[in-house]
């Protein structure tokens, strides 16, 4: 086996050396003990075995936990992939999807050769071509577009197929910067909260999820750990074993809600009102930590004044909960210390998502648990990301400042419906590591754009996705076991190495290989387009004391390295203009939000748009399903069967009003589109006026009924955040 630099890969022996350095060997033996260790015997998959080697892998899918994995390789094939038992987060077991990585790797439908369109767009007729022909066609189209419309007529679309630093966040952007292509924002996922938290704390960096076990009260607000962050559940349960309380704030009764000590099933989009109502009681009844507030916060008087606008009676009405529930929250939350507030990403994909996060963010400060072990807030972590973006992405290569399009408006951009694309149309779309049909919003608009005869679309993909169906040229992408990268969790504090275990299958190429080669075909002579992943890992790590252990050699040797920040904010230094936690922020006011925080009705809601609400009275939430990772894994038979057909969960009262019975098909509709799905009728999963259907089922597996046809492409209040959940629909019996 060779790695991308042609060096020797990890043998079982060298792996053990590395893991011994971390004291891992016991766990690893434990792991191999259940498989056949002898050469020449049958493997668990029934393949005749030669010598077995272990490879160091990391799951690079878009997840809070980037699991450390160990692949067993025999006769040039990976026969088993398991979780690293010694990594505290992975703890030996990947999630349901991670357990089927091999089924993805050796899936019979992998695209193995470049293809060109041989029918109408979207028709799915293809002709096999060589890489040479593919590169010639693409460079010709790029040069034509640049000559006729300028370089901004070229637009990348990309998000999170892989989240590796080199293949996702690195080399492709060198290419697009050099071209001077349109920039896209990376706003589909979590930018609202990420922008909101620094106004309060000067930073969004969260506590270590391993410290969840030390809390006395875990509040999970707008997230669903048992589906989207399964590796943190064990830490929550450890805390509960030690007597901690669990509070869930969510319109959807998900698995943790059913186990909670208190479940607040509030009306979607009203979280800011609920948070300010809770603070109304905490402040007026003197339940907050006065010393902490006096020493480390600023703007308390303004907050005190603002929360007077949110008395429990009014908040109960806005949030459709009882006053007793608000008081029960206050009682449980203020009596159990230290407490953690965990905020998800899904709940803030709303028109006022940033304001919601801002309002909730005050609670840990009022309780004085910031910087305390087992206390504080949890949202996202990037502080342990060790790479220098200026080096990995090379923004300096750009010939000039180019336009930026919000990725949530992909449909409008390629359909020519944005003011900027009326001026300069998108002529070439290069889509890689992203699958807008069915993961982006307003899918019908995206299809309209992709159908444009004068749009040249390139899709670099592992599988024939719904988006690939619309390509002019499809390029085969390598699986993550076929290239080397460094990946990091976005909740835990680990930086993890993933080696190249296999040669790319067929003629597939990794993102790095593709964009380096395409750059050369475009005549770009910059030295950076000769760099391999290993070169970039070696040269690209920031020269900061916290990253001194993170070297290429250490990553290869140790598999994963924790960047330990201890108790976040324990020094009580906050990088805000005042140096304190800001309940009042002049900067957020400049960004157009209330300087403290306020509840504003959603753009699509009863209060925000009464006329629309009269037509479409149900708020549709489209969270993550346990079996898919956005759209990935839907084509794996075991997962597909387990997932079943898409459905919509509706409240029994709404169902009865419409003559819908459990299992009936119903039509879900708004101005953006309509889909037909099976109804799951429930008294408790959602309240009346709310429905839930999971995101990103493949369009082609659901006869065009992907829920993202209905998802809005509006932009939220902070940093361009998506608004998937601000979504009014009508549901009728089919
Ligand atoms: N309705 C609704 N929709 C949502 C959301 C929601 O809440 N509601 N959430 C949104 C969120 S949070 C996110 S992050 C987005 C995710 O949106 P995307 O990032 O577009 O996610 P995927 O659908 O998984 O598409 C990734 C594609 O990359 C391909 N791929 C995997 N590895 C590689 C590789 O190494 N190279 C290349 N070239 N391709 C690769 C996969 O095969 C897959 O087709 O979805 C969003 N969609
Ligand atoms: N299995 C699986 N895991 C995943 C993913 C996946 O697709 N599948 N996606 C990954 C990605 S890309 C991301 S960004 C993360 C997302 O991780 P999460 O944020 O946990 O995921 P979501 O399911 O998008 O949304 C979480 C919750 O928000 C709730 N919610 C919606 N509106 C509101 C509201 O107004 N108020 C409140 N309080 N709650 C609300 C929904 O009911 C849902 O339970 O997960 C990652 N992990
Ligand atoms: Mo995401």
């Amino acid at each position: 086996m060779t790695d991308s630099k042609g060096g020797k890969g990890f043998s079982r022996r060298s792996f053990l050396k590395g893991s011994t350095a971390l004291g891992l060997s016991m766990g690893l033996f434990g792991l191999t003990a259940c498989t056949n260790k002898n050469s020449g015997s049958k493997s668990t998959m029934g393949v005749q075995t030669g010598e077995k080697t272990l490879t160091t892998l990391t799951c690079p899918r878009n997840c809070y936990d980037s699991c450390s994995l160990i692949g067993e390789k025999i006769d040039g094939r990976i026969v088993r992939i398991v979780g690293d038992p010694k990594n505290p987060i992975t703890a030996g077991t990947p999630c349901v999807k991670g357990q089927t990585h091999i089924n993805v790797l050796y899936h019979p439908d992998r695209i193995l050769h470049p293809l060109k369109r041989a029918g109408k767009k979207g028709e799915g007729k293809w002709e096999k071509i060589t890489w040479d022909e593919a590169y010639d066609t693409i460079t010709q189209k790029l040069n034509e577009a640049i000559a006729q419309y300028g370089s901004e007529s070229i637009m990348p679309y990309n998000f999170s197929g892989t989240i590796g630093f080199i293949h996702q966040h690195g080399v492709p952007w060198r290419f697009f910067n050099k071209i001077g292509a349109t920039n896209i924002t990376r706003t589909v996922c979590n930018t609202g909260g990420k922008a909101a938290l620094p106004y309060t704390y000067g930073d969004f960096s969260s506590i270590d999820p391993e410290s969840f076990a030390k809390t006395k009260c875990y509040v999970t607000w707008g997230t669903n750990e048992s589906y989207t962050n399964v590796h943190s559940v064990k830490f929550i349960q450890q805390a509960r074993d030690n007597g901690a309380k669990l509070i869930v704030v969510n319109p959807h009764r998900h698995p943790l809600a059913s186990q909670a000590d208190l479940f607040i099933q509030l009306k979607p989009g009203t979280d800011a009102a609920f948070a300010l109502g809770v603070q109304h009681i905490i402040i007026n009844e003197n339940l907050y930590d006065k010393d902490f507030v006096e020493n480390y916060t600023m703007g308390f008087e303004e907050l005190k004044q603002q929360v007077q606008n949110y008395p429990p009676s009014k908040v109960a009405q806005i949030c459709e909960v009882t006053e007793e529930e608000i008081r029960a929250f206050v009682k449980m939350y203020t009596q159990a210390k230290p407490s953690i507030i965990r905020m998800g990403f899904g709940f803030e994909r709303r028109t006022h998502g940033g304001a919601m996060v801002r309002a909730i963010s005050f609670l840990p400060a009022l309780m004085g648990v910031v910087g305390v072990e087992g206390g504080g807030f949890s949202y996202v972590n990037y502080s342990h990301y060790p790479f220098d973006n200026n080096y990995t992405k090379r923004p300096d290569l750009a010939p000039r400042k180019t336009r930026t399009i919000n990725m949530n408006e992909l449909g409008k951009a390629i359909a020519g419906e944005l003011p900027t694309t009326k001026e300069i149309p998108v002529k070439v779309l290069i889509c890689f590591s992203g699958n807008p049909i069915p993961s982006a919003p307003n899918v019908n608009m995206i299809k309209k754009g992709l159908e444009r005869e004068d749009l040249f679309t390139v899709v670099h993909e592992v599988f024939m996705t719904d988006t690939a169906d619309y390509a002019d040229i499809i390029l085969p992408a390598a699986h993550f076991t076929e290239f080397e990268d460094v990946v990091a969790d976005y909740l835990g504090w680990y930086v993890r190495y993933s080696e190249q275990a296999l040669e790319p299958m067929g003629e597939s190429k990794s993102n790095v290989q593709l964009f380096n080669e395409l750059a050369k075909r475009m005549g770009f002579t910059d030295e950076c387009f000769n760099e391999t992943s290993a070169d970039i890992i070696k040269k690209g790590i920031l020269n900061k004391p916290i990253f001194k252990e993170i070297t290429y050699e250490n990553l290869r040797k140790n598999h994963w390295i924790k960047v330990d920040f201890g108790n976040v904010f324990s020094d009580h230094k906050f990088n805000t203009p005042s140096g304190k936690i800001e309940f009042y922020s002049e900067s957020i006011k400049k960004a157009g939000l209330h300087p403290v925080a306020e509840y504003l009705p959603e753009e699509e809601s009863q209060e925000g748009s009464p006329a629309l609400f009269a037509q479409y009275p149900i708020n549709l939430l489209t969270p993550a399903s346990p079996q898919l990772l956005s759209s990935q894994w839907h084509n794996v038979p075991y997962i597909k069967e387990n997932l079943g057909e898409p459905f919509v969960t509706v409240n029994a009262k709404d169902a009865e009003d419409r003559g819908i019975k459990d299992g009936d098909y119903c039509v879900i509709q708004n101005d953006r589109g309509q889909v037909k799905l099976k109804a799951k009728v429930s008294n408790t999963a959602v309240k009346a006026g709310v429905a839930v259907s999971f995101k990103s089922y493949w369009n082609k597996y659901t006869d065009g009924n992907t829920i993202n046809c209905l998802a809005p492409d509006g932009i939220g209040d902070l940093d361009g955040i998506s608004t998937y959940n601000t979504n009014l629909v009508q549901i009728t019996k089919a």
Side-chain angles (χ1 to χ4, degrees), residues 238-297:
Q238 279 165 21
R240 300 193 77 205
D241 288 346
N242 294 329
K245 300 288 185 198
L246 173 66
I247 305 179
V248 175
V249 185
N250 201 309
H252 187 206
R253 183 185 287 270
H254 59 51
L256 280 183
S258 294
Q259 303 174 31
D261 295 286
L262 180 65
F263 173 36
I264 305 291
Q265 195 169 24
L266 81 182
K267 179 176 165 180
T270 64
D271 302 60
F274 188 81
L276 292 168
V278 161
Q279 290 167 62
H280 175 105
I281 303 173
I282 291 178
I283 292 174
N284 289 357
E285 297 186 7
N286 287 314
L287 301 171
Y288 61 97
D289 184 327
K290 286 181 203 63
D291 283 347
F292 188 93
V293 165
E294 204 172 296
N295 288 323
Y296 305 118
T297 73

Side-chain angles (χ1 to χ4, degrees), residues 189 223-224 227-228 250 269 271 345-346 349-350 623-625 628 630:
C189 180
T223 189
N224 183 2
Y227 291 179
T228 61
N250 201 309
D271 302 60
F345 296 170
R349 289 181 203 122
R350 303 193 154 277
S625 69
L628 301 181
S630 294

Side-chain angles (χ1 to χ4, degrees), residues 61-62 157-162 167 188-190 345-346 349 431-436 438-441 460-463 465 477-480 483 509-511 622-624 629-632 694-696 698 707-708 711 722 724-725:
R61 302 303 174 224
N62 186 349
Y157 183 87
N158 151 277
F159 202 64
S160 59
T162 166
H167 288 77
V188 78
C189 180
N190 71 333
F345 296 170
R349 289 181 203 122
C431 177
F432 65 102
S433 271
N435 188 13
S439 283
H460 182 226
E461 248 305 339
V462 189
F463 293 112
T465 58
H479 184 258
F480 78 89
F483 55 82
K509 292 183 196 283
S510 71
N511 297 0
T622 55
L629 195 283
S630 294
S631 69
Q632 296 189 73
F694 295 135
K695 67 177 177 180
S696 300
W698 282 27
I707 203 74
N708 280 36
S722 61
Y724 286 102
N725 287 316

